[in-house]
Amino acid sequence: VFRKLLCTLVTIITLSAWIVSHGGEVHASNATNDLSNVNYAEEVIYHIVTDRFKDGDPDNNPQGQLFSNGCSDLTKYCGGDWQGIIDEIESGYLPDMGITALWISPPVENVFDLHPEGFSSYHGYWARDFKKTNPFFGDFDDFSRLIETAHAHDIKVVIDFVPNHTSPVDIEDGALYDNGTLLGHYSTDANNYFYNYGGSDFSDYENSIYRNLYDLASLNQQHSFIDKYLKESIQLWLDTGIDGIRVDAVAHMPLGWQKAFISSVYDYNPVFTFGEWFTGAQGSNHYHHFVNNSGMSALDFRYAQVAQDVLRNQKGTMHDIYDMLASTQLDYERPQDQVTFIDNHDIDRFTVEGRDTRTTDIGLAFLLTSRGVPAIYYGTENYMTGKGDPGNRKMMESFDQTTTAYQVIQKLAPLRQENKAVAYGSTKERWINDDVLIYERSFNGDYLLVAINKNVNQAYTISGLLTEMPAQVYHDVLDSLLDGQSLAVKENGTVDSFLLGPGEVSVWQHISESGSAPVIGQVGPPMGKPGDAVKISGSGFGSEPGTVYFRDTKIDVLTWDDETIVITLPETLGGKAQISVTNSDGVTSNGYDFQLLTGKQESVRFVVDNAHTNYGENVYLVGNVPELGNWNPADAIGPMFNQVVYSYPTWYYDVSVPADTALEFKFIIVDGNGNVTWESGGNHNYRVTSGSTDTVRVSFRR
């Protein structure tokens, strides 16, 4: 704790000195914030459904029909609370496991009535007041003690946040409160705080955004009051000392509003943020666009779906595992930023009743040694089982620290902070068949070599294995916990043939003393505006300051050491480009994708009337700032929508744009072959109002 406080103080002093040297002026509202919570590739997250972990304080349990004593009814509250989490931090169960962050259920006050079908809001996703705590989890004093206890054990706390909706319409009519004051109901929504377009049939992206997710009362984030309310609410929780945010249901909210919202989080107190977009093994264009353009990371369902299919369900091969790793490396601009998992509260638990638990051990070993930010679902370390909701949300059954799975986590979790190849490394397949995958991860002289045989009944002879690791004998990091063995690497990187046993996992590593050249592993936050402070993590930067560039623009450096650089973003043309580091010896690093915003962001709804199109044509928006594509049709915003809020030939789209900026824009029509027809006449003009969610409506110019 002292070390963290000292680092924060040093950063503040350094930043203050920089401000003085630049005439006392600074454009960054986040410039004096601690940036220790923006890069999570070295973290291991433990995901807790708060109500299902441990009942630490029976006095705060709900009474009557909301509560199930003994958790025999999984649709009711079972008593888990923040005190229960505190207990298992103090007992050593959580710290000893090696996890470094907790992701807990939404902490806000939820509805107090049952759904007509008998469900309670034990999960935390049916909010009624975003500025109050769920009393069945505890009060703000309890939450503060949770934060303090976690931080005292070097554990971060990530909260779930649900800005998409309140509660099912049939419970309290979707009521929304502001610190105890009723704001409105769904069915009597005179202020238009909700989207009242009925339930979604999920037929397309627009339908999924502007219609209700199932029977949940969908909030109108584009309403200026709701926008302000949600920003105030997340700031309240940031003030409690949380270290990260998981945003629920990001596929069901306008991307433009979410980008402006997340930008406001980074302005206020930058923390690692990731969104939940439920998708299949192949993902989708909209999903990939969100991952690369929203300004936050994503819960990596592509990873989880393939891991479950191949390792749990035995419906695929290890070729599918590696193909997923290779394809996401291309589809994601920042693959190491995405939050990976093998099970959670929305899919089946990884352990199958009656099946060999070695499969779970293998799944955890893969999770903890492959790319991304691993999230372990509570109880997986104790082989909890359960299919679907709510079967996958049983009460924590044991706090047994002797299981093989617990020990696998215990041995592999620390590697993320010890070996940069685990946190930041690229992945290369070294040997593969249907049951075996041997992959090597490398980063600037650090290496991790992992051999997995998912077949618990058959051994395989491994011949012709080649590695970049230096010649020596490597011992299994797992100490043969999963029947692993030592590996002798020769001078030319070859390895003698060996037998990989049934269900065996061997993990070998090489950690260099220092990087041979500057290499960037992660940059956070992944977007920002001129003057904002940003943290670059990696290795080989050297002890003497060099130079950092955005495109060809030199960036002011605030702090510099061999593994971490803090910079302030420059006043230059924004948009997407790469940040690179040149050390004091003149050696330049890899480039890392970053999104430089023009300025403070607001969400604006652009509406164009009378935009008639032919079959296969769509309308897009393009303008004079990078947020509008900088007049490049290839980067235009869209395709715009025309079915729910407005109907064809009126088109609309919610866009994150810079406040207090003179915008010039036009609409274009693009056909199925990519041919572009520009709107005629002069440019449309608009100046964005700071602190407001505007609507700009014009008529298409033929």
Side-chain angles (χ1 to χ4, degrees):
V1 174
F2 174 76
R3 176 171 51 82
K4 287 186 175 181
L5 290 173
L6 182 60
C7 290
T8 301
L9 180 60
V10 169
T11 301
I12 292 173
I13 292 172
T14 306
L15 287 165
S16 300
W18 179 86
I19 293 168
V20 170
S21 69
H22 285 68
E25 180 179 356
V26 64
H27 298 287
S29 56
N30 77 347
T32 57
N33 279 309
D34 178 12
L35 294 178
S36 63
N37 294 320
V38 293
N39 292 342
Y40 262 47
E42 295 185 12
E43 310 295 341
V44 176
I45 300 173
Y46 187 76
H47 173 200
I48 293 173
V49 176
T50 302
D51 178 66
R52 301 302 162 84
F53 191 63
K54 183 178 181 180
D55 187 354
D57 181 7
D59 289 342
N60 63 26
N61 291 342
Q63 303 298 311
Q65 60 182 352
L66 286 176
F67 186 65
S68 173
N69 192 21
C71 209
S72 58
D73 185 345
L74 292 176
T75 67
K76 307 294 174 60
Y77 278 92
C78 293
D81 48 32
W82 297 325
Q83 183 58 53
I85 301 173
I86 292 170
D87 290 347
E88 292 309 318
I89 296 175
E90 293 179 333
S91 75
Y93 181 82
L94 292 171
D96 292 350
M97 197 189 311
I99 58 95
T100 60
L102 299 174
W103 156 21
I104 62 172
S105 301
V108 307
E109 181 182 86
N110 271 230
V111 292
F112 296 120
D113 293 334
L114 287 178
H115 189 279
E117 296 181 7
F119 301 104
S120 73
S121 60
Y122 70 89
H123 41 65
Y125 293 105
W126 295 348
R128 74 196 299 269
D129 196 327
F130 288 76
K131 296 180 180 178
K132 286 189 159 189
T133 69
N134 186 327
F136 308 134
F137 298 162
D139 58 23
F140 275 112
D141 287 339
D142 297 318
F143 191 78
S144 294
R145 287 191 301 105
L146 171 61
I147 297 290
E148 292 167 3
T149 305
H151 287 177
H153 290 81
D154 289 329
I155 295 175
K156 302 176 188 290
V157 177
V158 178
I159 66 163
D160 222 318
F161 193 71
V162 192
N164 179 66
H165 56 263
T166 55
S167 59
V169 175
D170 289 335
I171 308 179
E172 300 184 19
D173 195 17
L176 177 65
Y177 289 79
D178 184 355
N179 198 25
T181 299
L182 178 65
L183 298 175
H185 292 279
Y186 179 81
S187 63
T188 55
D189 184 24
N191 294 313
N192 295 317
Y193 289 160
F194 299 91
Y195 284 128
N196 283 274
Y197 303 113
S200 175
D201 61 8
F202 308 105
S203 57
D204 56 41
Y205 189 31
E206 177 186 6
N207 191 283
S208 296
I209 294 174
Y210 296 102
R211 298 189 191 277
N212 290 345
L213 177 61
Y214 304 113
D215 58 348
L216 299 166
S218 185
L219 289 168
N220 177 8
Q221 297 90 5
Q222 197 60 29
H223 191 290
S224 59
F225 178 81
I226 296 299
D227 172 69
K228 178 174 178 286
Y229 171 83
L230 291 170
K231 288 175 180 175
E232 288 175 351
S233 299
I234 196 59
Q235 288 171 9
L236 179 153
W237 290 100
L238 285 165
D239 286 342
T240 66
I242 63 169
D243 309 288
I245 304 165
R246 182 265 198 186
V247 183
D248 185 63
V250 295
H252 306 286
M253 294 179 286
L255 175 60
W257 178 82
Q258 292 186 79
K259 185 176 176 181
F261 176 74
I262 296 304
S263 178
S264 76
V265 169
Y266 297 155
D267 285 347
Y268 191 78
N269 184 8
V271 296
F272 181 70
T273 305
F274 60 103
E276 177 254 348
W277 185 309
F278 196 105
T279 188
Q282 301 304 315
S284 68
N285 289 335
H286 288 304
Y287 167 71
H288 298 144
H289 185 76
F290 171 86
V291 170
N292 296 330
N293 294 279
S294 65
M296 59 178 134
S297 300
L299 198 59
D300 196 345
F301 272 91
R302 287 188 64 182
Y303 181 105
Q305 302 283 21
V306 174
Q308 282 221 348
D309 280 347
V310 175
L311 300 177
R312 176 189 189 272
N313 304 330
Q314 303 296 313
K315 290 183 178 179
T317 72
M318 296 303 265
H319 293 279
D320 298 315
I321 289 278
Y322 187 72
D323 287 348
M324 176 271 294
L325 293 174
S327 62
T328 53
Q329 183 76 30
L330 297 175
D331 293 334
Y332 301 162
E333 291 177 358
R334 308 180 318 276
Q336 60 269 54
D337 287 13
Q338 311 315 314
V339 178
T340 54
F341 62 104
I342 58 172
D343 56 357
N344 75 2
H345 65 292
D346 285 325
I347 61 177
D348 293 346
R349 280 195 173 272
F350 200 83
T351 305
V352 178
E353 189 78 40
R355 191 180 295 176
D356 192 337
T357 56
R358 175 57 67 94
T359 298
T360 301
D361 303 331
I362 292 170
L364 286 168
F366 172 63
L367 175 66
L368 290 164
T369 57
S370 52
R371 66 103 182 119
V373 182
I376 299 164
Y377 192 38
Y378 82 99
T380 299
E381 74 279 10
N382 284 169
Y383 306 117
M384 285 179 63
T385 62
K387 294 191 67 175
D389 170 12
N392 56 3
R393 306 175 184 181
K394 299 172 186 174
M395 199 71 184
M396 184 74 166
E397 296 169 351
S398 170
F399 296 95
D400 185 357
Q401 296 183 240
T402 67
T403 67
T404 301
Y406 184 97
Q407 294 175 64
V408 166
I409 300 168
Q410 198 172 46
K411 290 181 180 295
L412 295 181
L415 297 186
R416 294 204 160 256
Q417 297 185 346
E418 297 170 0
N419 184 338
K420 294 193 181 300
V422 186
Y424 308 123
S426 59
T427 304
K428 182 183 292 186
E429 175 257 303
R430 288 299 190 181
W431 203 97
I432 193 168
N433 68 15
D434 286 355
D435 289 333
V436 172
L437 173 61
I438 302 178
Y439 54 94
E440 184 171 81
R441 307 196 60 217
S442 60
F443 185 85
N444 207 15
D446 289 351
Y447 293 94
L448 189 81
L449 188 64
V450 182
I452 298 175
N453 178 6
K454 76 179 182 69
N455 191 324
V456 297
N457 298 308
Q458 182 176 343
Y460 290 94
T461 298
I462 308 300
S463 59
L465 178 64
L466 187 68
T467 175
E468 293 180 10
M469 295 205 303
Q472 68 179 66
V473 175
Y474 295 93
H475 297 288
D476 174 31
V477 174
L478 287 168
D479 293 327
S480 300
L481 188 64
L482 301 183
D483 301 324
Q485 56 193 288
S486 295
L487 187 75
V489 177
K490 299 179 181 179
E491 288 294 339
N492 58 0
T494 61
V495 175
D496 288 338
S497 296
F498 65 95
L499 193 68
L500 192 68
E504 178 184 331
V505 177
S506 287
V507 179
W508 308 288
Q509 70 169 333
H510 172 79
I511 302 175
S512 62
E513 293 184 2
S514 62
S516 57
V519 183
I520 298 174
Q522 197 168 28
V523 175
M527 71 177 179
K529 63 187 188 303
D532 282 356
V534 170
K535 179 181 177 182
I536 302 171
S537 300
S539 70
F541 302 142
S543 57
E544 295 297 321
T547 308
V548 181
Y549 293 93
F550 177 79
R551 294 196 187 94
D552 297 323
T553 300
K554 186 177 178 180
I555 300 176
D556 287 322
V557 173
L558 300 181
T559 66
W560 183 297
D561 64 37
D562 190 57
E563 297 183 348
T564 303
I565 303 171
V566 178
I567 60 172
T568 52
L569 296 173
E571 293 278 0
T572 187
L573 179 65
K576 278 191 178 180
Q578 291 194 326
I579 287 177
S580 63
V581 173
T582 300
N583 67 12
S584 59
D585 293 328
V587 181
T588 299
S589 73
N590 58 311
Y592 195 93
D593 288 315
F594 188 84
Q595 189 172 179
L596 180 60
L597 305 170
T598 304
K600 179 180 181 292
Q601 299 288 293
E602 300 289 355
S603 179
V604 171
R605 177 167 293 167
F606 288 83
V607 183
V608 57
D609 294 314
N610 302 314
H612 294 273
T613 58
N614 297 316
Y615 181 79
E617 294 179 333
N618 282 290
V619 175
Y620 290 77
L621 169 68
V622 67
N624 68 324
V625 293
E627 288 86 344
L628 295 178
N630 209 31
W631 294 121
N632 183 356
D635 295 325
I637 304 299
M640 298 179 72
F641 301 136
N642 62 10
Q643 297 180 41
V644 181
V645 180
Y646 300 90
S647 298
Y648 177 86
T650 296
W651 303 67
Y652 66 100
Y653 212 85
D654 298 333
V655 187
S656 180
V657 290
D660 300 318
T661 301
L663 299 183
E664 297 180 25
F665 62 94
K666 279 190 170 183
F667 298 93
I668 58 176
I669 295 175
V670 182
D671 68 18
N673 295 318
N675 299 309
V676 177
T677 301
W678 284 82
E679 188 181 13
S680 66
N683 298 335
H684 300 287
N685 295 278
Y686 190 79
R687 190 173 188 88
V688 180
T689 304
S690 182
S692 178
T693 50
D694 297 341
T695 296
V696 183
R697 190 166 186 171
V698 299
S699 187
F700 191 85
R701 296 170 178 168
R702 287 288 175 184

